[in-house]
Structure formats: structure tokens, C-alpha cells
Amino acid sequence: MNGRLLGRLSFEETARLGQRSVLLLPIGSMEQHGPHLPLGTDAILAQAVAEAIAGRFGETFDIWLLPCFPLGLSREHAWATGTLSLSISGMTSLMRELAREIARSLPARHLMIVNGHGGNRGLLELLNYEFKADFQLNACAFHIGALMSPTTDAGSPEIHAGKDETSLMLALAPDEVRCESFAGVGKSLDEAEVRATILDPGVSWPWSSGDPRIASHGVIGDVAQCSAEHGRAILERLLEAAGAALQRLLDYQEIVRDP
């Protein structure tokens, strides 16, 4: 992996990059993840998944990994100590400055943001338009959470720090998981309330993971069902989706043109 980490190159070695090179930018958050996972879980997963993507597809797509951006939009977890959330304007400014510097200092014109926090999604979707129009960067956002826990009408929703996210941590960063704390985390109290408050496609609410109707100790999901094996299956699914997204990213540059 060291050969694909941009920060390990000297300035002269950046000549290895070209216009068709793809930059991966992991983005996480600093927020509560129940009593069993660290505050930096989303950044840990974004970094680890980005490294796995670069490890599998680095040569195929000429991928280069940027340093992880560890903070995000986490107001839904602001009730808990340790949560650090940027403002919308602050994150917008930081992301635009980063895009400006990428466009100024590197020849690569393809950017995949590996997003580890669902709360960042809306802003990143909008910023991709500005990255293209203002900085000529062909960009997309790869949302780990949505791919890790696709929503369905059946079964209990996995939203935050439950079976899926904890399993992925067990597969990628097992030493960071406090397995002894699982017993203190119950399942979400009201599945219908979770769907109405968080998953309603027609109405958006400023929900909180501190709301006892939808969360237990900040967790929205079923920690008891987690396993490293399930986490490895999730990782494989993420890598398959990433390969398809990378190919589409390069194809998209050829198809979409400004009028």
C-alpha cells in the first residue's frame, strides 16, 4: 500500500500521476458509536476500505490514496460527549479548498470520495457538481453506509453502530471493538419510529441518536448479531461495488460534457 499513498511520494515522484489517475479521499466523522466502538469509527472504516480498494484496484485504475479527512457533519450525535461536528458552511469551505488544491497541484482529474459517515452524504452529492464545474474534477462519492446496510422493507433497519458497522470493524479493526460492552446495548425500541424518523423518503427530520424511541445507548441496530465473518462478507460486497463505480467514473468523464 505504501506505493499508492500520495503522502509517501516526494514531490518529484508525483510525476507518476497522470490525468487519468484516480484519487481516493477517505472521509469520516468524530461521533459517538455506542459504548463498544470508538468515536473515530467512521474515519477508521473509510481509511481501511479506501486502502482495500487501492490494494485491489490500484494498478487497474492507477489509484492514489489521499490522507483521511477525519471530521464531518454529525449534529445527530451532538448529545454525546466527544462528538465533534463541523458546520455545513465550514465543511463546504474546507472541501472546496481541498478540491482547489488538488486541481492546482496534481494532474489527476478523477476523484472518488470514500465516505464513512451517512450524515455527510447530502453535502457531498451537491459538492460533486461544484468540483466538476469550478475545478474540472470528475468526482463521485462512494457511501460505505448505504452499501453496507441497504434499506429494505423487511427486517430491522441497521442505521448506526449495529450489526453491520460493528461487524465491519471486527473484520478491519478488531482491536478497536469493545466486545465486553455488547451486553449493555439493547435493540432499537421502536422499528416503526426508526423508519418514520430516519428512513422516510418523503420527509427529512433532524433526528438524534440520543432519542430513546429509536436508539439504545446511541446504537440503532442489533449489535448482538455482529461477527467478523459478516464483516468480511460486507467488505467483499463493498469492493465489488467500488470496482464498478471506478469503471463508471472513468466512463462518465468520456460521456458527460459541458454544453
Side-chain angles (χ1 to χ4, degrees), residues 198-215:
I198 302 176
L199 299 177
D200 188 333
V203 185
S204 298
W205 300 99
W207 59 272
S208 170
S209 63
D211 183 345
R213 298 173 302 167
I214 63 174

Side-chain angles (χ1 to χ4, degrees), residues 62-82:
D62 194 24
I63 290 172
W64 298 90
L65 188 59
L66 292 163
C68 183
F69 193 82
L71 300 180
L73 304 176
S74 302
R75 295 297 175 88
E76 68 270 30
H77 305 292
W79 62 273
T81 56

Side-chain angles (χ1 to χ4, degrees), residues 21 30 42-43 45 68 90 113 137 141 155 186 191 208 213 219 243 252:
S21 298
M30 183 77 166
D42 291 342
L45 290 179
C68 183
I113 299 170
L137 290 174
E191 181 179 316
S208 170
R213 298 173 302 167
V219 177
Y252 198 66

Side-chain angles (χ1 to χ4, degrees), residues 142-257:
F142 184 81
H143 303 290
I144 293 173
L147 291 160
M148 175 172 57
S149 304
T151 58
T152 65
D153 293 333
S156 299
E158 282 289 326
I159 305 296
H160 183 71
K163 171 186 175 182
D164 292 343
E165 193 165 23
T166 305
S167 293
L168 193 57
M169 282 290 286
L170 284 171
L172 293 174
D175 292 343
E176 299 286 353
V177 182
R178 285 77 163 166
C179 298
E180 68 278 4
S181 299
F182 288 174
V185 181
K187 291 182 63 174
S188 301
L189 301 182
D190 189 336
E191 181 179 316
E193 188 66 28
V194 172
R195 293 186 181 278
T197 305
I198 302 176
L199 299 177
D200 188 333
V203 185
S204 298
W205 300 99
W207 59 272
S208 170
S209 63
D211 183 345
R213 298 173 302 167
I214 63 174
S216 173
H217 293 80
V219 177
I220 309 175
D222 188 2
V223 176
Q225 300 300 315
C226 70
S227 70
E229 181 181 7
H230 182 56
R232 288 189 289 270
I234 290 173
L235 178 60
E236 187 58 35
R237 188 165 73 240
L238 290 172
L239 289 173
E240 289 179 6
L246 287 163
Q247 185 60 63
R248 184 171 177 80
L249 178 68
L250 295 179
D251 292 343
Y252 198 66
Q253 176 70 11
E254 303 302 321
I255 295 171
V256 178
R257 300 292 184 183

Side-chain angles (χ1 to χ4, degrees), residues 6-114:
L6 188 69
R8 295 292 182 89
L9 299 180
S10 72
F11 82 93
E12 291 179 335
E13 289 170 338
T14 59
R16 295 165 60 184
L17 279 70
Q19 285 193 352
R20 288 186 62 83
S21 298
V22 178
L23 299 171
L24 293 189
L25 174 62
I27 291 181
S29 68
M30 183 77 166
E31 63 189 38
Q32 74 80 24
H33 276 78
H36 61 294
L37 294 177
L39 295 166
T41 290
D42 291 342
I44 292 169
L45 290 179
Q47 178 72 27
V49 170
E51 289 179 1
I53 292 171
R56 179 167 297 188
F57 300 109
E59 296 296 328
T60 303
F61 297 105
D62 194 24
I63 290 172
W64 298 90
L65 188 59
L66 292 163
C68 183
F69 193 82
L71 300 180
L73 304 176
S74 302
R75 295 297 175 88
E76 68 270 30
H77 305 292
W79 62 273
T81 56
T83 295
L84 304 177
S85 179
L86 297 173
S87 66
I88 293 173
S89 60
M91 186 166 179
T92 298
S93 178
L94 285 168
M95 292 298 296
R96 281 184 53 86
E97 287 303 308
L98 180 56
R100 188 192 313 277
E101 281 299 284
I102 288 172
R104 179 195 66 80
S105 68
L106 294 169
R109 287 298 174 264
H110 302 290
L111 174 68
M112 174 182 277
I113 299 170
V114 181

